Amino acid sequence: MKVLCIGSMNLDHVYMMDHIVAPGETEAVNEIKNFLGGKGMNQSVALAKAGANIYHAGMIGPDGLVFLDACKEHGVNGDYIRQIDEFTGHAIIQIDKNAQNCILLYGGANQKLTAEYVDEVLAGFETGDILLLQNEVNMLGYIVDKAYEKGMQIALNPSPFNEKLNEVDMTKISIFLLNEIEGGQITGLVDPKEIIASMKEKFPKAKIVLTLGKDGAMFAEGNTEFYQPIFPVKAVDTTAAGDTFTGYFLAGLSEGMAIPDVLKMSAKASSIAVTRPGAVPSIPLRKEVEEALK
């Protein structure tokens, strides 16, 4: 089974600060770091490091050629990545002394996908293959419709949650991977159990994975539900925690692992990622996760 991620690639500029800057405030930065990121690339790398057969598609500008090198380095097939005459997407990330973050996102080349390009990419995939999407690229509704016609399993991480998601026929989503804030934005609810119940009612055929930060994660499909607690660690940078969880979850799913085992592996991988700075560099290899679970 192949996994395709049509997703964002961002050059991340990370600023380490005492606290997240307030409106009108000027604050000195303790340290600056530059990383490769974007939810799409983060999740593709997580899939690759977890051992999945992952293909990444998306757009970069002339300043984004480093992503092609990163794909080769981490085992992501980057044959579908295209360079265009536009700035690569980038993010400005503030991280405070408690490892909480605040992100400014510029879409750039990520927002330049075309129908012709999407058709070209999807032609290389078949019924049953997994398509992973986030809300950091354009053409999301078109991508979902065309992938659904092919019979692909469509996994959606609805982040960032905004009006662009209105163009997506959510009934065509096979797997929702979302945090409690996004779950609340979809359902209008706050309590995780109520969010799960509402999601099951709205999308009865879908698998639902709801991450709850320090409170772990929940999974639901039909009458089946599982809960996975976190593995407590001292967090340094939480930027790619959710992306790591997503990548490992889909990798385990594509292998046919039992859901409780997939959740446990994903939680452990995420717990390792938050102990390291950056997005892509923080994601652990499968063998690290398996060794840590022993």
Side-chain angles (χ1 to χ4, degrees):
M1 180 187 295
K2 294 189 289 188
V3 184
L4 166 66
C5 176
I6 302 180
S8 56
M9 290 167 279
N10 291 327
L11 299 169
D12 289 352
H13 307 281
V14 181
Y15 300 87
M16 312 301 292
M17 0 242 307
D18 180 68
H19 60 273
I20 303 298
V21 68
E25 180 184 18
T26 299
E27 184 185 351
V29 173
N30 299 324
E31 186 178 4
I32 181 172
K33 300 176 181 179
N34 295 313
F35 298 106
L36 302 187
K39 294 190 73 65
M41 180 53 64
N42 294 346
Q43 292 173 12
S44 285
V45 171
L47 275 150
K49 290 189 174 185
N53 183 18
I54 173 68
Y55 295 73
H56 189 89
M59 302 288 194
I60 54 173
D63 54 339
L65 297 180
V66 286
F67 284 100
L68 299 177
D69 297 330
C71 285
K72 293 176 182 177
E73 177 184 353
H74 297 298
V76 176
N77 187 310
D79 291 347
Y80 292 106
I81 295 174
R82 298 288 181 267
Q83 180 187 335
I84 60 172
D85 187 20
E86 170 65 73
F87 285 116
T88 300
H90 69 257
I92 295 174
I93 304 172
Q94 299 178 50
I95 299 177
D96 71 14
K97 61 184 178 182
N98 297 314
Q100 295 302 305
N101 63 59
C102 176
I103 302 174
L104 287 174
L105 185 64
Y106 173 69
N110 294 316
Q111 299 297 319
K112 300 298 181 180
L113 306 188
T114 65
E116 292 75 18
Y117 171 71
V118 171
D119 291 345
E120 175 192 344
V121 172
L122 291 180
F125 297 85
E126 302 174 348
T127 299
D129 287 340
I130 296 175
L131 170 65
L132 171 59
L133 300 169
Q134 316 79 29
N135 193 26
E136 290 185 348
V137 298
N138 65 318
M139 302 293 296
L140 212 57
Y142 183 84
I143 297 169
V144 168
D145 291 344
K146 292 299 180 179
Y148 186 81
E149 290 175 7
K150 293 181 70 72
M152 297 181 74
Q153 301 180 70
I154 306 172
L156 175 65
N157 172 211
S159 178
F161 191 94
N162 58 38
E163 69 284 349
K164 284 175 54 184
L165 290 168
N166 293 335
E167 71 185 53
V168 177
D169 184 350
M170 295 289 188
T171 65
K172 296 178 178 178
I173 304 302
S174 313
I175 308 160
F176 287 93
L177 299 132
L178 63 172
N179 63 29
E180 56 189 318
I181 295 174
E182 294 148 3
Q185 289 168 321
I186 288 179
T187 64
L189 301 168
V190 176
D191 181 81
K193 291 183 179 179
E194 293 181 359
I195 291 173
I196 286 285
S198 178
M199 290 289 293
K200 286 169 60 177
E201 183 178 352
K202 289 175 181 289
F203 313 108
K205 297 180 180 179
K207 295 178 174 66
I208 301 157
V209 182
L210 184 68
T211 58
L212 306 170
K214 62 181 177 59
D215 294 322
M218 300 171 68
F219 171 90
E221 182 182 19
N223 294 323
T224 302
E225 293 189 13
F226 296 105
Y227 170 73
Q228 173 63 49
I230 65 163
F231 292 90
V233 293
K234 173 62 176 176
V236 171
D237 181 355
T238 61
T239 303
D243 297 333
T244 300
F245 193 102
T246 291
Y248 266 83
F249 182 87
L250 291 178
L253 196 68
S254 71
E255 295 173 18
M257 289 175 61
I259 294 298
D261 294 333
V262 179
L263 291 170
K264 187 175 183 180
M265 177 177 72
S266 304
K268 174 56 75 171
S270 186
S271 75
I272 295 172
V274 300
T275 65
R276 302 168 176 174
V280 166
S282 73
I283 302 168
L285 291 167
R286 177 75 168 261
K287 61 183 180 181
E288 293 180 78
V289 177
E290 291 176 343
E291 187 64 31
L293 283 170
K294 289 181 180 178

